Amino acid sequence: MAIKKHEDIRLNVKPLFLTLYHEYVFEGPCRFGEGMQLEKEFDLHMAAEKFKGWYAQLQAAMPADVVNLLEPVKVERDEQFLTKDEMIEKLAEGSEEVDLYYIGYASRPYDLALEFAMRVGKPCAITQACCASAITSAEFLSRGLEFYPFEDWADATEYMTVLRARKVLRDSKILAATRMTSSVSVSAPDSIIDPEKITAKFGTRLRFVSAHELLDQISYDDPMSNHCTPGRAGLNLTAEDEKGIDQLTDEIIDGAEECQMTREMVKKSVEAYWGINKFLDYFECNCFTCPCPDLCATRRLNEKQFTMCLSHSLNNEQGIPSACEYDLGALVSKLMLQAIGRRPSYMGNCFTSPIRNGVRAPLPKALFFTPEHVDAKTEELGDAENVVLTFHSVPNRRWESFDEVYRPYAVREFARSGFGATFRYEFEADKGQVITMCRIDPTCEKLFVAKGTILTSMGYGETNCSMGVFFQVKNSKDFFKKQAAVGNHMPLIYGDFEEQIIELGELLGLEIVNA
Amino acid sequence: MTTKMTLKERLDLAALDADAALKQLLEGDLDRNGFRREVRAFTLAKFFLTEEECAQAGTDELLELANVSVEKMLRNADKSVKLAEGSTTCTNQSSTDIKKVLLSLTLQRSLGVKFTPEYSANLETITQLADALFDARGKAEFAR
């Protein structure tokens, strides 16, 4: 499998410990004592004790599921303060693998650290130590070097998640299935206008594939006879694939509290997921998006009897950010949320439900929701203020990690005629759960971030694109005004990760819009 | 009327205890347990701690005992002696590290043994230090 899972990515941190020892016995402004304390052997033993204590703190602060702590490198220098090439070369060994150098000192070789950092050009960090940390941070930052000083080890622990998330974005490749354009889709023109900015700003690469070629090859047809690529071997489904598809289909149906669809129709959606993953594997991608209405209009989804909904849900559950409607802005936002939260994300159409003059603004009774269901939910919400609804048809069965046991779910169709498997989830079971949401704006310059608390579901018993979650925010009017510039779909994850998402946005050079 | 001893006087007595323990280490025909006993006595004397205080601290770890020692010295400080063994350089070194290193190096030098800084740093308890010194005596690779 060539799908590089984000969960396997670690931040490579190399401990770098620099020592100053004294060759000669003397006292002076920065050195005083008597007897043994002025000898070289004492200095070196003190440095060893200092390193041991510091390294133990560093190890405890670097969680193994975030950081790959590399072997420490140590250099000692005497009071001539002379930096030799061999010192820099020793420190720089293996630097191509390093994402962050973590600096510790015994005494004051600050210039050595600076010269090294300027040579290798990698980010460095330090935890507060009297004199040393402020000297180092100022000498680095004033010269434009990337440097992270932490007041306390706990701050370092938290920020490693943010730095790792940045690496995840850099290591990500989006499989973007296109139909009308490769920038924004007809249904999500509020997405990122220039996809090249995604690569320029975050390092995330894109691989484009024709949605028609993708649809052709989600079939058991002869791989040499696909319509769009005649005579070229395709990634068509095989008899071997069908065994896995059958197994997954049965698992999904058997694990559901209710399944309203025929097995045949569920299987068609699973075939879509399987085919998409073959493309992800071949293209070495770990994120996915595909247009919906744009593709719907070709009538091919109707012909094939599947929608993309189940594929997105299953991808997200497996740690592959997957977004509806070719919304690249939502996809990159999901990637950020999943990289920070280490859990699946959801996305949907997002709008506020304000109360004005004691009356709640009507929820849409057409297209997605039945009038009866709307009335019931309106009554359930009562006079709750600052309510927001996010709804689509791509919920997950797990919300707090990528290996959580599946929570109760149902399976219902998207299309009234019975195709297009979607999961349904009762968000009211998680009433009171804090959620974090974010969305990048179309210019790829701003990041909207907000938190909410789950109230209840919308659409569990319904079909179509109607699976929603009502949640309360600090101020829905503020939320609405700030959302206006970033777009409709609002990705979210369970848990309070607002601070770290903001830190990630700042690290990536985005202007934070916090509602 | 009893006169309370000054801190200096008490430290001087402790120094005599340390000297006595060191004499045993150098001249006594000690087995491992005996060696451990005298290293312990030397350590407690140098750290100005009693067995009861060690038991109360509930640890054999040198850095933790050094910390208890520093706290005791601060509590008992009077003007009879200058307390600080010194932060010997303007380099953010801890008093506990200094105590441990001075202890270890004093014993190493007295016994004609030389450990690398890293090896010394990994000797975390009185027993580990005692065993390392006991095993290193007379071995060429540890000769000073």
Side-chain angles (χ1 to χ4, degrees):
Chain A
M1 261 270 160
I3 299 178
K4 185 177 183 182
K5 288 288 187 72
H6 297 123
E7 276 299 282
D8 295 335
I9 295 173
R10 297 288 181 271
L11 190 74
N12 290 335
V13 176
K14 188 149 183 92
L16 188 140
F17 196 81
L18 305 176
T19 294
L20 168 69
Y21 65 89
H22 296 80
E23 192 65 46
Y24 296 98
V25 174
F26 58 89
E27 280 192 282
C30 75
R31 191 202 189 201
F32 22 86
E34 52 192 19
M36 188 198 303
Q37 298 164 26
L38 296 175
E39 295 176 21
K40 176 179 171 180
E41 188 180 20
F42 179 83
D43 276 358
L44 293 175
H45 278 254
M46 285 299 296
E49 289 290 340
K50 185 87 187 282
F51 170 77
K52 187 158 186 272
W54 171 82
Y55 188 52
Q57 287 179 304
L58 178 65
Q59 285 175 306
M62 300 287 116
D65 63 340
V66 178
V67 167
N68 175 28
L69 197 60
L70 304 173
E71 275 301 302
V73 61
K74 293 187 264 184
V75 159
E76 295 157 356
R77 192 176 71 170
D78 70 17
E79 75 275 40
Q80 291 186 92
F81 305 127
L82 178 60
T83 296
K84 296 249 184 181
D85 285 349
E86 66 191 13
M87 295 175 185
I88 301 292
E89 282 153 21
K90 183 182 179 188
L91 293 171
E93 259 177 54
S95 63
E96 60 277 1
E97 298 300 321
V98 179
D99 297 314
L100 180 79
Y101 285 95
Y102 216 106
I103 299 174
Y105 293 119
S107 196
R108 55 176 73 233
Y110 311 128
D111 59 301
L112 171 55
L114 177 64
E115 183 172 333
F116 165 72
M118 289 174 85
R119 190 80 83 77
V120 296
K122 289 286 177 89
C124 297
I126 199 167
T127 297
Q128 180 169 216
C130 168
C131 315
S133 50
I135 288 171
T136 307
S137 59
E139 67 174 350
F140 275 57
L141 292 170
S142 60
R143 290 168 172 83
L145 297 171
E146 191 177 344
F147 192 82
Y148 302 99
F150 298 113
E151 187 179 20
D152 188 80
W153 285 106
D155 299 335
T157 302
E158 205 182 285
Y159 205 73
M160 291 303 117
T161 290
V162 177
L163 290 174
R164 177 192 164 273
R166 180 176 69 172
K167 183 177 181 179
V168 166
L169 265 78
R170 283 181 181 160
D171 274 7
S172 290
K173 269 195 294 198
I174 296 172
L175 180 68
T178 65
R179 190 222 156 186
M180 312 285 285
T181 77
S182 59
S183 51
V184 299
S185 64
V186 168
S187 69
D190 54 340
S191 175
I192 293 171
I193 298 165
D194 179 4
E196 286 195 20
K197 281 190 87 172
I198 298 173
T199 308
K201 275 190 103 73
F202 313 131
T204 309
R205 289 163 289 165
L206 286 96
R207 297 285 183 266
F208 297 100
V209 66
S210 156
H212 283 293
E213 289 180 35
L214 175 64
L215 291 182
D216 283 349
Q217 293 170 49
I218 300 177
S219 75
Y220 298 98
D221 296 340
D222 176 2
M224 300 298 288
S225 64
N226 291 304
H227 180 81
C228 290
T229 49
R232 292 193 71 87
L235 298 171
N236 298 57
L237 301 174
T238 64
E240 195 59 34
D241 290 327
E242 192 169 17
K243 289 180 195 168
I245 289 165
D246 278 324
Q247 185 181 344
L248 182 55
T249 300
D250 292 333
E251 281 171 10
I252 288 171
I253 293 170
D254 293 343
E257 300 281 293
E258 313 159 45
C259 179
Q260 196 166 291
M261 298 174 66
T262 64
R263 186 183 182 281
E264 182 196 357
M265 286 300 155
V266 175
K267 182 174 173 177
K268 287 191 184 298
S269 287
V270 177
E271 285 166 354
Y273 163 72
W274 207 273
I276 287 165
N277 270 261
K278 289 186 79 163
F279 270 74
L280 284 168
D281 181 49
Y282 186 77
F283 280 75
E284 297 177 336
C285 289
N286 49 17
C287 308
F288 177 71
T289 190
C290 189
C292 289
D294 312 39
L295 213 49
C296 178
T298 67
R299 301 181 66 181
R300 292 197 69 186
L301 296 178
N302 192 114
E303 181 186 66
K304 290 228 165 235
Q305 300 276 281
F306 61 71
T307 59
M308 296 297 172
C309 311
L310 187 70
S311 297
H312 292 313
S313 289
L314 292 174
N315 279 342
N316 284 315
E317 285 180 357
Q318 298 302 312
I320 298 171
S322 199
C324 316
E325 299 190 47
Y326 199 86
D327 187 340
L328 287 170
L331 181 59
V332 177
S333 307
K334 284 159 88 51
L335 177 54
M336 288 181 178
L337 289 168
Q338 294 190 191
I340 290 284
R342 312 294 287 273
R343 59 196 60 195
S345 59
Y346 182 55
M347 67 176 271
N349 306 311
C350 181
F351 67 94
T352 63
S353 176
I355 293 180
R356 300 268 196 255
N357 303 314
V359 177
R360 185 176 297 285
L363 298 169
K365 288 190 179 183
L367 193 60
F368 303 117
F369 309 117
T370 63
E372 301 77 29
H373 192 54
V374 165
D375 288 342
K377 285 296 165 182
T378 305
E379 189 176 327
E380 184 182 338
L381 290 171
D383 56 3
E385 303 243 10
N386 299 311
V387 174
V388 180
L389 172 66
T390 290
F391 71 95
H392 238 207
S393 53
V394 288
N396 312 305
R397 296 169 296 171
R398 45 168 64 127
W399 295 95
E400 294 189 339
S401 73
F402 292 114
D403 52 18
E404 184 189 345
V405 170
Y406 293 138
R407 300 188 189 194
Y409 65 96
V411 176
R412 297 191 218 287
E413 65 273 24
F414 186 97
R416 300 283 158 82
S417 58
F419 71 83
T422 70
F423 286 140
R424 317 307 284 191
Y425 182 76
E426 290 187 289
F427 287 102
E428 54 263 61
D430 305 324
K431 183 176 178 174
Q433 170 70 52
V434 173
I435 57 173
T436 304
M437 60 211 101
C438 77
R439 181 181 171 83
I440 292 185
D441 84 313
T443 68
C444 209
E445 297 289 340
K446 297 181 187 176
L447 183 68
F448 172 96
V449 185
K451 259 191 330 196
T453 307
I454 289 179
L455 289 173
T456 187
S457 274
M458 182 86 184
Y460 174 79
E462 312 283 289
T463 60
N464 199 257
C465 198
S466 61
M467 187 64 249
V469 54
F470 284 103
F471 52 90
Q472 267 180 319
V473 295
K474 276 189 296 214
N475 184 310
S476 62
K477 191 162 186 179
D478 182 58
F479 187 102
F480 170 80
K481 284 164 90 170
K482 288 173 176 169
Q483 186 198 359
V486 294
N488 171 43
H489 295 139
M490 192 59 68
L492 63 91
I493 52 172
Y494 276 27
D496 184 352
F497 297 96
E498 185 181 52
E499 199 176 310
Q500 285 175 305
I501 293 291
I502 288 174
E503 285 176 331
L504 177 60
E506 288 170 345
L507 180 65
L508 296 169
L510 298 168
E511 178 191 333
I512 304 299
V513 178
N514 192 201
Chain B
M1 190 171 78
T2 56
T3 313
K4 192 179 165 191
M5 280 198 289
T6 66
L7 180 57
K8 185 179 187 314
E9 287 165 342
R10 292 163 68 196
L11 286 170
D12 287 342
L13 281 177
L16 291 176
D17 291 339
D19 288 343
L22 187 59
K23 191 171 194 287
Q24 284 298 309
L25 288 168
L26 291 170
E27 297 172 6
D29 184 21
L30 300 170
D31 63 6
R32 184 179 293 275
N33 282 335
F35 198 89
R36 284 178 179 175
R37 185 183 60 243
E38 297 304 330
V39 167
R40 186 177 181 84
F42 181 83
T43 302
L44 296 193
K46 280 296 192 185
F47 281 9
F48 193 52
L49 295 176
T50 64
E51 278 295 349
E52 290 71 30
E53 284 162 340
C54 278
Q56 210 168 15
T59 182
D60 195 31
E61 298 222 355
L62 287 163
L63 283 175
E64 291 189 33
L65 290 174
N67 191 49
V68 175
S69 170
V70 167
E71 295 291 323
K72 182 180 178 182
M73 296 284 269
L74 289 170
R75 281 198 310 274
N76 287 275
D78 59 29
K79 290 192 169 66
S80 66
V81 66
K82 192 170 73 175
L83 259 190
E85 282 168 313
S87 174
T88 61
T89 65
C90 179
T91 55
N92 198 26
Q93 291 170 332
S94 74
S95 304
T96 50
D97 283 0
I98 292 171
K99 271 191 177 298
K100 185 189 172 205
V101 169
L102 283 174
L103 174 81
S104 181
L105 279 181
T106 301
L107 282 169
Q108 287 179 48
R109 289 182 177 193
S110 300
L111 293 165
V113 158
K114 187 170 181 153
F115 296 144
T116 65
E118 292 71 31
Y119 186 76
S120 279
N122 283 331
L123 300 172
E124 295 179 350
T125 66
I126 297 176
T127 307
Q128 285 172 358
L129 176 61
D131 284 349
L133 291 165
F134 184 81
D135 293 333
R137 290 173 315 160
K139 287 196 176 139
E141 64 266 36
F142 292 112
R144 183 164 279 273

PDB file of all heavy atoms in Angstrom, chain A residues 380 426-434 453-456 470 472 494:
ATOM      1  N   GLU A 380     -37.707  20.912  19.783  1.00  0.00           N
ATOM      2  CA  GLU A 380     -36.680  20.374  20.692  1.00  0.00           C
ATOM      3  C   GLU A 380     -35.668  21.447  21.072  1.00  0.00           C
ATOM      4  O   GLU A 380     -35.226  21.520  22.212  1.00  0.00           O
ATOM      5  CB  GLU A 380     -35.958  19.208  20.010  1.00  0.00           C
ATOM      6  CG  GLU A 380     -34.939  18.507  20.905  1.00  0.00           C
ATOM      7  CD  GLU A 380     -34.208  17.381  20.193  1.00  0.00           C
ATOM      8  OE1 GLU A 380     -34.728  16.845  19.183  1.00  0.00           O
ATOM      9  OE2 GLU A 380     -33.102  17.044  20.636  1.00  0.00           O
ATOM     10  N   GLU A 426     -26.470   9.508  15.643  1.00  0.00           N
ATOM     11  CA  GLU A 426     -27.282  10.282  16.593  1.00  0.00           C
ATOM     12  C   GLU A 426     -26.380  11.171  17.442  1.00  0.00           C
ATOM     13  O   GLU A 426     -25.895  10.754  18.502  1.00  0.00           O
ATOM     14  CB  GLU A 426     -28.102   9.351  17.489  1.00  0.00           C
ATOM     15  CG  GLU A 426     -29.219   8.643  16.731  1.00  0.00           C
ATOM     16  CD  GLU A 426     -30.127   7.860  17.653  1.00  0.00           C
ATOM     17  OE1 GLU A 426     -29.701   6.813  18.189  1.00  0.00           O
ATOM     18  OE2 GLU A 426     -31.283   8.290  17.837  1.00  0.00           O
ATOM     19  N   PHE A 427     -26.187  12.385  16.984  1.00  0.00           N
ATOM     20  CA  PHE A 427     -25.317  13.309  17.716  1.00  0.00           C
ATOM     21  C   PHE A 427     -25.869  13.635  19.109  1.00  0.00           C
ATOM     22  O   PHE A 427     -25.101  14.060  19.991  1.00  0.00           O
ATOM     23  CB  PHE A 427     -25.127  14.601  16.919  1.00  0.00           C
ATOM     24  CG  PHE A 427     -24.233  14.453  15.720  1.00  0.00           C
ATOM     25  CD1 PHE A 427     -24.763  14.349  14.445  1.00  0.00           C
ATOM     26  CD2 PHE A 427     -22.853  14.412  15.869  1.00  0.00           C
ATOM     27  CE1 PHE A 427     -23.939  14.210  13.332  1.00  0.00           C
ATOM     28  CE2 PHE A 427     -22.024  14.277  14.764  1.00  0.00           C
ATOM     29  CZ  PHE A 427     -22.567  14.173  13.492  1.00  0.00           C
ATOM     30  N   GLU A 428     -27.163  13.439  19.321  1.00  0.00           N
ATOM     31  CA  GLU A 428     -27.682  13.753  20.656  1.00  0.00           C
ATOM     32  C   GLU A 428     -27.102  12.852  21.724  1.00  0.00           C
ATOM     33  O   GLU A 428     -27.105  13.210  22.904  1.00  0.00           O
ATOM     34  CB  GLU A 428     -29.222  13.695  20.695  1.00  0.00           C
ATOM     35  CG  GLU A 428     -29.831  12.418  20.211  1.00  0.00           C
ATOM     36  CD  GLU A 428     -30.261  12.509  18.769  1.00  0.00           C
ATOM     37  OE1 GLU A 428     -29.377  12.745  17.919  1.00  0.00           O
ATOM     38  OE2 GLU A 428     -31.455  12.345  18.476  1.00  0.00           O
ATOM     39  N   ALA A 429     -26.556  11.695  21.309  1.00  0.00           N
ATOM     40  CA  ALA A 429     -25.877  10.823  22.276  1.00  0.00           C
ATOM     41  C   ALA A 429     -24.641  11.508  22.857  1.00  0.00           C
ATOM     42  O   ALA A 429     -24.150  11.130  23.927  1.00  0.00           O
ATOM     43  CB  ALA A 429     -25.462   9.517  21.602  1.00  0.00           C
ATOM     44  N   ASP A 430     -24.156  12.512  22.155  1.00  0.00           N
ATOM     45  CA  ASP A 430     -22.955  13.222  22.596  1.00  0.00           C
ATOM     46  C   ASP A 430     -23.283  14.640  23.023  1.00  0.00           C
ATOM     47  O   ASP A 430     -22.430  15.543  22.945  1.00  0.00           O
ATOM     48  CB  ASP A 430     -21.905  13.239  21.464  1.00  0.00           C
ATOM     49  CG  ASP A 430     -21.586  11.848  20.964  1.00  0.00           C
ATOM     50  OD1 ASP A 430     -21.567  10.923  21.794  1.00  0.00           O
ATOM     51  OD2 ASP A 430     -21.377  11.677  19.748  1.00  0.00           O
ATOM     52  N   LYS A 431     -24.505  14.839  23.484  1.00  0.00           N
ATOM     53  CA  LYS A 431     -24.901  16.166  23.945  1.00  0.00           C
ATOM     54  C   LYS A 431     -23.921  16.650  25.013  1.00  0.00           C
ATOM     55  O   LYS A 431     -23.550  15.896  25.916  1.00  0.00           O
ATOM     56  CB  LYS A 431     -26.312  16.103  24.545  1.00  0.00           C
ATOM     57  CG  LYS A 431     -26.841  17.450  24.976  1.00  0.00           C
ATOM     58  CD  LYS A 431     -28.272  17.365  25.471  1.00  0.00           C
ATOM     59  CE  LYS A 431     -28.692  18.762  25.941  1.00  0.00           C
ATOM     60  NZ  LYS A 431     -30.100  18.818  26.300  1.00  0.00           N
ATOM     61  N   GLY A 432     -23.484  17.893  24.879  1.00  0.00           N
ATOM     62  CA  GLY A 432     -22.519  18.439  25.815  1.00  0.00           C
ATOM     63  C   GLY A 432     -21.084  18.305  25.350  1.00  0.00           C
ATOM     64  O   GLY A 432     -20.174  18.898  25.933  1.00  0.00           O
ATOM     65  N   GLN A 433     -20.851  17.523  24.303  1.00  0.00           N
ATOM     66  CA  GLN A 433     -19.510  17.331  23.766  1.00  0.00           C
ATOM     67  C   GLN A 433     -19.002  18.628  23.127  1.00  0.00           C
ATOM     68  O   GLN A 433     -19.710  19.249  22.321  1.00  0.00           O
ATOM     69  CB  GLN A 433     -19.531  16.211  22.708  1.00  0.00           C
ATOM     70  CG  GLN A 433     -18.262  16.048  21.889  1.00  0.00           C
ATOM     71  CD  GLN A 433     -17.110  15.500  22.700  1.00  0.00           C
ATOM     72  OE1 GLN A 433     -17.227  14.481  23.368  1.00  0.00           O
ATOM     73  NE2 GLN A 433     -15.976  16.179  22.651  1.00  0.00           N
ATOM     74  N   VAL A 434     -17.786  18.989  23.483  1.00  0.00           N
ATOM     75  CA  VAL A 434     -17.168  20.169  22.851  1.00  0.00           C
ATOM     76  C   VAL A 434     -16.637  19.761  21.478  1.00  0.00           C
ATOM     77  O   VAL A 434     -16.069  18.675  21.323  1.00  0.00           O
ATOM     78  CB  VAL A 434     -16.012  20.716  23.718  1.00  0.00           C
ATOM     79  CG1 VAL A 434     -15.253  21.826  22.985  1.00  0.00           C
ATOM     80  CG2 VAL A 434     -16.555  21.236  25.038  1.00  0.00           C
ATOM     81  N   THR A 453     -20.630  23.425  21.395  1.00  0.00           N
ATOM     82  CA  THR A 453     -21.038  22.319  22.273  1.00  0.00           C
ATOM     83  C   THR A 453     -22.270  21.666  21.663  1.00  0.00           C
ATOM     84  O   THR A 453     -23.255  22.347  21.373  1.00  0.00           O
ATOM     85  CB  THR A 453     -21.397  22.854  23.676  1.00  0.00           C
ATOM     86  OG1 THR A 453     -20.303  23.643  24.157  1.00  0.00           O
ATOM     87  CG2 THR A 453     -21.642  21.713  24.644  1.00  0.00           C
ATOM     88  N   ILE A 454     -22.212  20.367  21.493  1.00  0.00           N
ATOM     89  CA  ILE A 454     -23.288  19.649  20.796  1.00  0.00           C
ATOM     90  C   ILE A 454     -24.585  19.708  21.592  1.00  0.00           C
ATOM     91  O   ILE A 454     -24.608  19.518  22.812  1.00  0.00           O
ATOM     92  CB  ILE A 454     -22.874  18.183  20.549  1.00  0.00           C
ATOM     93  CG1 ILE A 454     -21.774  18.121  19.483  1.00  0.00           C
ATOM     94  CG2 ILE A 454     -24.073  17.345  20.105  1.00  0.00           C
ATOM     95  CD1 ILE A 454     -21.275  16.730  19.179  1.00  0.00           C
ATOM     96  N   LEU A 455     -25.674  19.944  20.854  1.00  0.00           N
ATOM     97  CA  LEU A 455     -27.004  19.928  21.451  1.00  0.00           C
ATOM     98  C   LEU A 455     -27.771  18.670  21.036  1.00  0.00           C
ATOM     99  O   LEU A 455     -28.245  17.896  21.868  1.00  0.00           O
ATOM    100  CB  LEU A 455     -27.801  21.160  21.001  1.00  0.00           C
ATOM    101  CG  LEU A 455     -27.354  22.504  21.576  1.00  0.00           C
ATOM    102  CD1 LEU A 455     -28.122  23.649  20.902  1.00  0.00           C
ATOM    103  CD2 LEU A 455     -27.593  22.550  23.085  1.00  0.00           C
ATOM    104  N   THR A 456     -27.901  18.510  19.728  1.00  0.00           N
ATOM    105  CA  THR A 456     -28.704  17.393  19.242  1.00  0.00           C
ATOM    106  C   THR A 456     -28.424  17.152  17.771  1.00  0.00           C
ATOM    107  O   THR A 456     -27.628  17.848  17.151  1.00  0.00           O
ATOM    108  CB  THR A 456     -30.208  17.667  19.468  1.00  0.00           C
ATOM    109  OG1 THR A 456     -30.945  16.475  19.132  1.00  0.00           O
ATOM    110  CG2 THR A 456     -30.727  18.816  18.607  1.00  0.00           C
ATOM    111  N   PHE A 470     -26.637  19.972  15.641  1.00  0.00           N
ATOM    112  CA  PHE A 470     -26.864  21.296  16.207  1.00  0.00           C
ATOM    113  C   PHE A 470     -25.873  21.499  17.345  1.00  0.00           C
ATOM    114  O   PHE A 470     -25.691  20.609  18.178  1.00  0.00           O
ATOM    115  CB  PHE A 470     -28.283  21.405  16.785  1.00  0.00           C
ATOM    116  CG  PHE A 470     -29.365  21.553  15.766  1.00  0.00           C
ATOM    117  CD1 PHE A 470     -30.164  20.476  15.436  1.00  0.00           C
ATOM    118  CD2 PHE A 470     -29.609  22.778  15.157  1.00  0.00           C
ATOM    119  CE1 PHE A 470     -31.189  20.603  14.498  1.00  0.00           C
ATOM    120  CE2 PHE A 470     -30.632  22.916  14.220  1.00  0.00           C
ATOM    121  CZ  PHE A 470     -31.423  21.825  13.892  1.00  0.00           C
ATOM    122  N   GLN A 472     -24.081  24.738  20.088  1.00  0.00           N
ATOM    123  CA  GLN A 472     -24.108  26.123  20.555  1.00  0.00           C
ATOM    124  C   GLN A 472     -22.714  26.721  20.487  1.00  0.00           C
ATOM    125  O   GLN A 472     -21.725  26.038  20.797  1.00  0.00           O
ATOM    126  CB  GLN A 472     -24.586  26.184  22.017  1.00  0.00           C
ATOM    127  CG  GLN A 472     -26.056  26.406  22.154  1.00  0.00           C
ATOM    128  CD  GLN A 472     -26.500  26.452  23.599  1.00  0.00           C
ATOM    129  OE1 GLN A 472     -26.052  25.679  24.428  1.00  0.00           O
ATOM    130  NE2 GLN A 472     -27.400  27.361  23.900  1.00  0.00           N
ATOM    131  N   TYR A 494     -14.388  16.312  17.238  1.00  0.00           N
ATOM    132  CA  TYR A 494     -14.737  16.293  18.659  1.00  0.00           C
ATOM    133  C   TYR A 494     -13.520  16.716  19.470  1.00  0.00           C
ATOM    134  O   TYR A 494     -12.388  16.353  19.152  1.00  0.00           O
ATOM    135  CB  TYR A 494     -15.151  14.863  19.075  1.00  0.00           C
ATOM    136  CG  TYR A 494     -16.577  14.514  18.808  1.00  0.00           C
ATOM    137  CD1 TYR A 494     -17.310  15.114  17.794  1.00  0.00           C
ATOM    138  CD2 TYR A 494     -17.215  13.541  19.570  1.00  0.00           C
ATOM    139  CE1 TYR A 494     -18.634  14.772  17.561  1.00  0.00           C
ATOM    140  CE2 TYR A 494     -18.532  13.188  19.342  1.00  0.00           C
ATOM    141  CZ  TYR A 494     -19.233  13.805  18.340  1.00  0.00           C
ATOM    142  OH  TYR A 494     -20.554  13.443  18.111  1.00  0.00           O
TER     143      TYR A 494
END
